[in-house]
Short mmCIF file of all heavy atoms in Angstrom, two decimals:
data_model
loop_
_atom_site.label_atom_id
_atom_site.label_comp_id
_atom_site.label_asym_id
_atom_site.label_seq_id
_atom_site.Cartn_x
_atom_site.Cartn_y
_atom_site.Cartn_z
N PHE A 1 -10.60 2.81 7.22
CA PHE A 1 -10.09 4.00 6.60
C PHE A 1 -8.60 3.98 6.29
O PHE A 1 -8.17 4.34 5.24
CB PHE A 1 -10.39 5.25 7.50
CG PHE A 1 -9.77 6.56 6.99
CD1 PHE A 1 -10.55 7.37 6.13
CD2 PHE A 1 -8.50 6.95 7.36
CE1 PHE A 1 -9.97 8.62 5.67
CE2 PHE A 1 -7.93 8.11 6.88
CZ PHE A 1 -8.66 8.98 6.02
N LEU A 2 -7.88 3.42 7.24
CA LEU A 2 -6.45 3.29 7.08
C LEU A 2 -6.03 2.34 5.99
O LEU A 2 -5.05 2.61 5.24
CB LEU A 2 -5.80 2.78 8.43
CG LEU A 2 -5.89 3.86 9.57
CD1 LEU A 2 -5.31 3.22 10.84
CD2 LEU A 2 -5.08 5.09 9.30
N LEU A 3 -6.83 1.28 5.86
CA LEU A 3 -6.54 0.27 4.68
C LEU A 3 -6.83 1.02 3.38
O LEU A 3 -6.01 0.85 2.47
CB LEU A 3 -7.41 -0.88 4.81
CG LEU A 3 -7.08 -1.89 5.99
CD1 LEU A 3 -8.26 -2.76 6.27
CD2 LEU A 3 -5.80 -2.62 5.72
N ARG A 4 -7.83 1.79 3.32
CA ARG A 4 -8.15 2.50 2.15
C ARG A 4 -7.09 3.68 1.87
O ARG A 4 -6.65 3.87 0.79
CB ARG A 4 -9.53 3.13 2.27
CG ARG A 4 -10.09 3.83 0.96
CD ARG A 4 -11.56 3.98 1.09
NE ARG A 4 -12.00 4.76 2.23
CZ ARG A 4 -12.63 4.33 3.27
NH1 ARG A 4 -12.91 2.98 3.35
NH2 ARG A 4 -13.02 5.11 4.28
N ARG A 5 -6.76 4.37 2.98
CA ARG A 5 -5.78 5.49 2.72
C ARG A 5 -4.39 4.89 2.24
O ARG A 5 -3.72 5.55 1.46
CB ARG A 5 -5.52 6.17 4.13
CG ARG A 5 -4.43 7.22 4.11
CD ARG A 5 -4.05 7.70 5.51
NE ARG A 5 -2.85 8.56 5.42
CZ ARG A 5 -1.63 8.02 5.42
NH1 ARG A 5 -1.37 6.74 5.55
NH2 ARG A 5 -0.55 8.89 5.38
N ASN A 6 -4.05 3.71 2.70
CA ASN A 6 -2.87 3.12 2.23
C ASN A 6 -2.78 2.94 0.76
O ASN A 6 -1.85 3.24 0.04
CB ASN A 6 -2.72 1.75 2.90
CG ASN A 6 -1.52 0.93 2.39
OD1 ASN A 6 -1.60 0.08 1.56
ND2 ASN A 6 -0.37 1.25 2.97
N ARG A 7 -3.92 2.52 0.13
CA ARG A 7 -4.04 2.49 -1.33
C ARG A 7 -4.06 3.81 -2.04
O ARG A 7 -3.42 4.04 -3.05
CB ARG A 7 -5.29 1.67 -1.75
CG ARG A 7 -5.37 0.18 -1.18
CD ARG A 7 -4.03 -0.57 -1.51
NE ARG A 7 -3.72 -0.41 -2.95
CZ ARG A 7 -2.44 -0.45 -3.36
NH1 ARG A 7 -1.40 -0.62 -2.48
NH2 ARG A 7 -2.15 -0.49 -4.68
N ILE A 8 -4.83 4.79 -1.43
CA ILE A 8 -4.89 6.09 -1.95
C ILE A 8 -3.53 6.73 -2.13
O ILE A 8 -3.12 7.22 -3.18
CB ILE A 8 -5.75 7.01 -1.11
CG1 ILE A 8 -7.26 6.47 -1.15
CG2 ILE A 8 -5.73 8.47 -1.57
CD1 ILE A 8 -8.12 7.15 -0.09
N MET A 9 -2.79 6.65 -1.07
CA MET A 9 -1.44 7.30 -1.07
C MET A 9 -0.48 6.60 -2.00
O MET A 9 0.37 7.25 -2.64
CB MET A 9 -0.87 7.38 0.38
CG MET A 9 -1.72 8.31 1.29
SD MET A 9 -1.89 9.98 0.54
CE MET A 9 -3.13 10.67 1.65
N LYS A 10 -0.54 5.32 -2.03
CA LYS A 10 0.39 4.57 -2.91
C LYS A 10 0.11 4.86 -4.33
O LYS A 10 1.01 5.07 -5.17
CB LYS A 10 0.31 3.07 -2.57
CG LYS A 10 1.07 2.63 -1.34
CD LYS A 10 1.08 1.13 -1.24
CE LYS A 10 1.85 0.61 0.01
NZ LYS A 10 3.24 1.02 -0.01
N VAL A 11 -1.15 4.91 -4.70
CA VAL A 11 -1.55 5.20 -6.15
C VAL A 11 -1.21 6.59 -6.49
O VAL A 11 -0.70 6.85 -7.55
CB VAL A 11 -3.03 4.85 -6.34
CG1 VAL A 11 -3.47 5.34 -7.72
CG2 VAL A 11 -3.22 3.23 -6.29
N LEU A 12 -1.57 7.56 -5.68
CA LEU A 12 -1.38 8.88 -6.02
C LEU A 12 0.10 9.35 -5.90
O LEU A 12 0.51 10.34 -6.47
CB LEU A 12 -2.18 9.82 -5.13
CG LEU A 12 -3.69 9.96 -5.60
CD1 LEU A 12 -4.58 10.55 -4.55
CD2 LEU A 12 -3.77 10.76 -6.86
N SER A 13 0.92 8.53 -5.23
CA SER A 13 2.36 8.88 -5.21
C SER A 13 3.01 8.71 -6.62
O SER A 13 4.07 9.24 -6.88
CB SER A 13 3.03 7.98 -4.15
OG SER A 13 3.06 6.64 -4.63
N SER A 14 2.38 7.89 -7.44
CA SER A 14 2.91 7.71 -8.82
C SER A 14 2.30 8.59 -9.87
O SER A 14 2.51 8.54 -11.00
CB SER A 14 2.76 6.30 -9.23
OG SER A 14 1.37 5.88 -9.29
N CYS A 15 1.36 9.49 -9.39
CA CYS A 15 0.59 10.40 -10.25
C CYS A 15 1.29 11.81 -10.19
O CYS A 15 1.66 12.26 -9.08
CB CYS A 15 -0.91 10.49 -9.90
SG CYS A 15 -1.75 9.05 -10.03
N SER A 16 1.33 12.43 -11.33
CA SER A 16 1.81 13.82 -11.32
C SER A 16 0.85 14.75 -10.64
O SER A 16 -0.43 14.48 -10.67
CB SER A 16 2.04 14.29 -12.80
OG SER A 16 0.88 14.16 -13.50
N SER A 17 1.31 15.82 -10.07
CA SER A 17 0.43 16.74 -9.31
C SER A 17 -0.49 17.51 -10.34
O SER A 17 -0.11 17.59 -11.51
CB SER A 17 1.26 17.74 -8.47
OG SER A 17 2.14 18.41 -9.32
N GLY A 18 -1.58 17.98 -9.86
CA GLY A 18 -2.54 18.67 -10.66
C GLY A 18 -3.61 19.22 -9.84
O GLY A 18 -3.66 19.14 -8.65
N ARG A 19 -4.67 19.67 -10.53
CA ARG A 19 -5.87 20.28 -9.83
C ARG A 19 -6.75 19.07 -9.42
O ARG A 19 -7.16 18.31 -10.31
CB ARG A 19 -6.57 21.29 -10.80
CG ARG A 19 -7.69 21.99 -10.10
CD ARG A 19 -8.26 23.11 -10.90
NE ARG A 19 -7.40 24.14 -11.14
CZ ARG A 19 -7.15 25.22 -10.46
NH1 ARG A 19 -7.85 25.30 -9.26
NH2 ARG A 19 -6.31 26.12 -10.78
N LEU A 20 -7.23 19.02 -8.23
CA LEU A 20 -7.88 17.83 -7.70
C LEU A 20 -9.12 18.19 -6.88
O LEU A 20 -9.09 19.25 -6.08
CB LEU A 20 -6.90 17.09 -6.76
CG LEU A 20 -7.37 15.83 -6.08
CD1 LEU A 20 -6.08 14.92 -5.90
CD2 LEU A 20 -7.94 16.15 -4.70
N LEU A 21 -10.18 17.45 -7.14
CA LEU A 21 -11.41 17.68 -6.39
C LEU A 21 -11.77 16.36 -5.69
O LEU A 21 -11.81 15.33 -6.26
CB LEU A 21 -12.60 18.01 -7.31
CG LEU A 21 -13.99 18.02 -6.63
CD1 LEU A 21 -14.13 19.25 -5.72
CD2 LEU A 21 -15.09 18.10 -7.82
N GLU A 22 -12.02 16.49 -4.34
CA GLU A 22 -12.52 15.34 -3.63
C GLU A 22 -14.02 15.57 -3.37
O GLU A 22 -14.42 16.57 -2.75
CB GLU A 22 -11.80 15.06 -2.31
CG GLU A 22 -12.29 13.73 -1.69
CD GLU A 22 -11.58 13.33 -0.40
OE1 GLU A 22 -10.73 14.06 0.10
OE2 GLU A 22 -11.94 12.26 0.14
N ILE A 23 -14.84 14.52 -3.72
CA ILE A 23 -16.24 14.59 -3.47
C ILE A 23 -16.56 13.77 -2.20
O ILE A 23 -16.08 12.69 -1.95
CB ILE A 23 -17.04 13.90 -4.61
CG1 ILE A 23 -16.73 14.69 -5.92
CG2 ILE A 23 -18.49 13.84 -4.36
CD1 ILE A 23 -17.02 13.91 -7.19
N GLY A 24 -17.26 14.47 -1.27
CA GLY A 24 -17.53 13.80 -0.03
C GLY A 24 -16.29 13.61 0.80
O GLY A 24 -15.94 12.46 1.19
N CYS A 25 -15.64 14.65 1.08
CA CYS A 25 -14.28 14.60 1.79
C CYS A 25 -14.34 14.26 3.25
O CYS A 25 -13.24 13.97 3.86
CB CYS A 25 -13.47 15.86 1.51
SG CYS A 25 -14.17 17.28 2.42
N GLY A 26 -15.47 14.18 3.88
CA GLY A 26 -15.52 13.82 5.27
C GLY A 26 -14.70 14.80 6.09
O GLY A 26 -14.93 16.02 5.97
N ALA A 27 -13.78 14.28 6.99
CA ALA A 27 -13.01 15.18 7.81
C ALA A 27 -11.96 16.00 7.05
O ALA A 27 -11.26 16.79 7.54
CB ALA A 27 -12.42 14.35 8.89
N GLY A 28 -11.68 15.55 5.78
CA GLY A 28 -10.86 16.37 4.95
C GLY A 28 -9.30 16.06 5.12
O GLY A 28 -8.50 16.81 4.62
N THR A 29 -9.00 14.99 5.74
CA THR A 29 -7.61 14.67 6.02
C THR A 29 -6.83 14.24 4.74
O THR A 29 -5.68 14.52 4.67
CB THR A 29 -7.50 13.58 7.10
OG1 THR A 29 -8.14 12.40 6.59
CG2 THR A 29 -8.12 14.00 8.41
N ILE A 30 -7.53 13.57 3.88
CA ILE A 30 -6.86 13.16 2.59
C ILE A 30 -6.47 14.33 1.78
O ILE A 30 -5.23 14.36 1.23
CB ILE A 30 -7.76 12.25 1.79
CG1 ILE A 30 -8.08 10.95 2.51
CG2 ILE A 30 -7.21 11.97 0.37
CD1 ILE A 30 -6.90 10.02 2.74
N ILE A 31 -7.28 15.35 1.52
CA ILE A 31 -6.88 16.51 0.71
C ILE A 31 -5.87 17.34 1.49
O ILE A 31 -5.03 17.96 0.86
CB ILE A 31 -8.03 17.36 0.25
CG1 ILE A 31 -8.89 17.80 1.52
CG2 ILE A 31 -8.87 16.67 -0.75
CD1 ILE A 31 -9.87 18.85 1.08
#
């Protein structure tokens, strides 16, 4: 999970904010 989170946060750090939906959020820590 941490290896994946590392990529998620790096990629989204370069994206402008907006309305976001997570499908299958599990524990919900990413959102």
Side-chain angles (χ1 to χ4, degrees):
F1 174 91
L2 294 175
L3 291 165
R4 186 164 58 251
R5 175 190 172 274
N6 177 262
R7 298 310 308 151
I8 294 168
M9 294 305 169
K10 283 187 180 297
V11 168
L12 278 163
S13 67
S14 63
C15 296
S16 58
S17 60
R19 190 176 290 276
L20 179 152
L21 173 70
E22 185 177 4
I23 300 164
C25 66
T29 58
I30 294 296
I31 56 169

